[in-house]
């Protein structure tokens, strides 16, 4: 409800800016064309996650992970770290936020551990782990297409990407050491209520994962296409098998409204002088202090206005490979403080709410204030190595 109200207010602000000419209509249309595929993917993958959870797929995956860890809470957490990083790198941060979150919550509950360390691990690594490949984050795709970046994206991104994963993992390991230092008895797999629906969900998700990984970079098929096909197949199957599971609540409409309003409002503010202000704050140069300055501005801007608008606003002041990569570090690994800093965080929170898990935004922000500066700072310095 709060997200819908905020989104409605921001959307009204944006529409007023268009009506008064502050934001030209042509620019608003161009902005819509850029974010429409992202929102299409978000809606489709949210539907996939909801129906797959209803089918019992995440319960089975959680039981499998619990058996693999052989009763060690710390080993179980390491498995979650590895899966979160792999999912983010190859499938994108939004996919990790939507598909992995219900798995780790179910997993923690099944073995008697607190779901909070597992949930925080998922959302932190969804953001900080999204530097390695272009497909990992939409900001990477935008940067890769920038002439200033050159070629061989992975050759330039791998070391900052590794640092951006290792730093938050180390922080989480220290913060969660007591909560994870427990043994448990691996629980048996829960019975499947509707086997045909379960089988269809398992096959669809199994096919969707590689489709998302190779579609955009190899086949040049936008990720929203396979996600939409998967959502339609699961929705039709659920309508035939469990029609009561389908409702408009499956669609993340408040989130879509919020994102549309946010992008319009931030773009309009750019026309009113925000872009000039950010340009002056970000400075120039490619030395260590120059890159840290740019990354600091990018981190603050991402946490105030979402990481994608932050990247678009600061992209013109990057200018070369080192500065573009430092900006990517900031807008990918820095959005750990405010709930709206990245779309992945909002999606993650939606999955937690659906699972009746509540994380205080105050606690989230305090932990983010610890992790974001360390992660962004060290990963930015790695850009120069």
């Amino acid at each position: 409800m709060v997200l819908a109200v905020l989104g409605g207010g921001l959307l009204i602000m944006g529409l007023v800016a268009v009506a008064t000419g502050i934001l030209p209509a042509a620019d608003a249309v161009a902005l819509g064309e850029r974010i429409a595929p992202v929102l299409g993917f978000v809606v489709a993958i949210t539907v996939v996650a909801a129906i797959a959870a209803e089918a019992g797929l995440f319960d089975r995956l959680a039981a499998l992970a619990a058996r693999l860890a052989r009763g060690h809470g710390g080993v179980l957490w390491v498995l979650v770290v590895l899966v979160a990083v792999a999912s983010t790198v190859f499938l994108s941060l939004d996919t990790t936020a939507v598909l992995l979150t219900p798995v780790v919550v179910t997993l923690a509950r099944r073995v008697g551990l607190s779901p909070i360390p597992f949930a925080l691990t998922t959302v932190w690594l969804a953001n900080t782990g999204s530097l390695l490949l272009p497909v990992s984050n939409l900001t990477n795709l935008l940067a890769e297409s920038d002439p200033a970046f050159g070629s061989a994206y992975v050759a330039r991104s791998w070391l900052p990407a590794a640092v951006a994963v290792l730093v938050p993992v180390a922080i989480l390991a220290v913060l969660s050491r007591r909560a994870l230092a427990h043994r448990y008895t691996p629980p048996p797999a829960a019975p499947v209520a509707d086997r045909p629906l379960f089988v269809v969900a398992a096959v669809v998700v199994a096919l969707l994962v590689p489709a998302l990984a190779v579609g955009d970079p190899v086949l040049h098929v936008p990720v929203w296409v396979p996600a939409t096909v998967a959502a339609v197949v699961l929705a039709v199957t659920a309508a035939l098998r469990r029609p009561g599971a389908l409702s408009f609540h499956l669609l993340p409409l408040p989130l879509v409204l919020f994102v549309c309003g946010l992008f319009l409002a931030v773009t309009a503010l750019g026309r009113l002088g925000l872009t000039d202000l950010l340009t002056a704050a970000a400075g120039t140069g490619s030395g260590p202090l120059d890159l840290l300055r740019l990354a600091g501005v990018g981190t603050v801007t991402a946490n105030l206005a979402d990481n994608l608008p932050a990247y678009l606003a600061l992209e013109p002041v990057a200018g070369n490979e080192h500065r573009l990569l430092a900006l990517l570090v900031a807008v990918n690994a820095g959005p750990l403080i405010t709930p709206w800093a990245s779309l992945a965080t909002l999606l993650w929170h939606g999955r937690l709410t659906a699972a009746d898990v509540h994380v205080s935004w105050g606690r989230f922000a305090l932990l983010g204030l610890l992790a974001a500066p360390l992660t962004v700072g060290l990963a930015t310095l790695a850009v120069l190595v």
Side-chain angles (χ1 to χ4, degrees):
M1 182 64 181
V2 174
L3 198 62
V5 172
L6 287 174
L10 289 170
L11 187 59
I12 291 172
M13 290 173 55
L15 293 177
V16 169
V18 174
T20 57
I22 295 173
L23 178 61
D27 290 357
V29 171
L31 179 65
E33 291 175 348
R34 294 192 77 173
I35 67 172
V38 179
L39 293 177
F41 171 75
V42 167
V43 171
I45 201 69
T46 301
V47 172
V48 169
I51 298 177
E54 179 70 21
L57 179 62
F58 298 141
D59 288 327
R60 282 300 180 95
L61 292 174
L64 175 61
R67 290 196 300 272
L68 289 175
R70 298 180 179 274
H72 295 272
V75 175
L76 187 62
W77 178 74
V78 171
L79 285 176
V80 170
V81 168
L82 294 175
V83 172
V85 172
S87 172
T88 301
V89 167
F90 293 105
L91 303 179
S92 88
L93 73 169
D94 298 327
T95 305
T96 297
V98 174
L99 292 183
L100 188 58
T101 300
V103 174
V104 300
V105 169
T106 302
L107 175 59
R109 285 174 167 167
R110 293 288 301 276
V111 300
L113 297 174
S114 169
I116 302 301
F118 294 89
L120 284 175
T121 298
T122 302
V123 71
W124 276 15
L125 292 179
N127 286 289
T128 68
S130 65
L131 274 165
L132 184 62
L133 297 180
V135 73
S136 307
N137 198 322
L138 180 59
T139 54
N140 303 348
L141 292 171
L142 294 173
E144 185 194 31
S145 64
D146 193 302
F149 200 87
S151 57
Y153 176 92
V154 176
R156 291 157 175 78
S157 69
W158 74 268
L159 184 56
V163 173
V165 167
L166 293 175
V167 173
V169 166
I171 294 172
L172 286 165
V174 173
L175 293 176
S176 307
R177 63 190 185 281
R178 291 183 180 178
L180 298 174
H182 292 286
R183 298 295 299 271
Y184 62 87
T185 300
V192 174
D194 189 319
R195 182 158 292 278
L197 179 60
F198 173 83
V199 171
V200 172
V203 171
V204 166
V205 172
L207 293 175
L208 178 60
V209 168
L212 293 176
V214 304
D216 213 333
V218 177
L219 303 177
H220 304 293
V221 176
V223 291
W224 67 268
V225 173
T228 300
V229 171
V232 170
V233 171
L234 286 180
V236 170
T237 305
L240 295 174
R241 301 294 308 178
R242 304 185 72 174
L246 295 180
S247 74
F248 281 106
H249 294 296
L250 293 179
L251 302 175
L253 298 181
L255 179 60
V256 171
L257 180 66
F258 176 79
V259 171
C260 291
L262 180 66
F263 272 76
L264 276 175
V266 171
T267 305
L269 288 174
R271 299 295 189 276
L272 291 173
L274 178 62
T275 300
D276 294 336
L277 179 63
L278 292 176
T279 299
T284 57
S286 300
L289 292 180
D290 298 313
L291 296 187
L292 287 172
R293 177 180 176 180
L294 171 60
V297 173
T299 300
V300 171
T301 307
N303 280 285
L304 290 176
D306 188 83
N307 64 335
L308 187 53
Y311 175 82
L312 293 174
L314 286 164
E315 185 182 41
V317 305
N320 60 51
E321 285 187 8
H322 284 160
R323 286 181 63 83
L324 269 173
L325 193 49
L327 177 57
L328 282 181
V329 168
V331 299
N332 286 19
L336 303 179
I337 301 170
T338 60
W340 56 81
S342 81
L343 186 56
T345 302
L346 292 171
L347 291 168
W348 166 81
H349 188 258
R351 293 296 91 205
L352 286 187
T353 301
D356 198 27
V357 175
H358 303 284
V359 175
S360 162
W361 283 124
R363 180 184 179 189
F364 181 87
L366 287 174
L367 292 174
L369 284 169
L370 168 66
L374 287 172
T375 304
V376 171
L378 292 174
T380 298
L381 293 177
V383 169
L384 294 172
V385 175

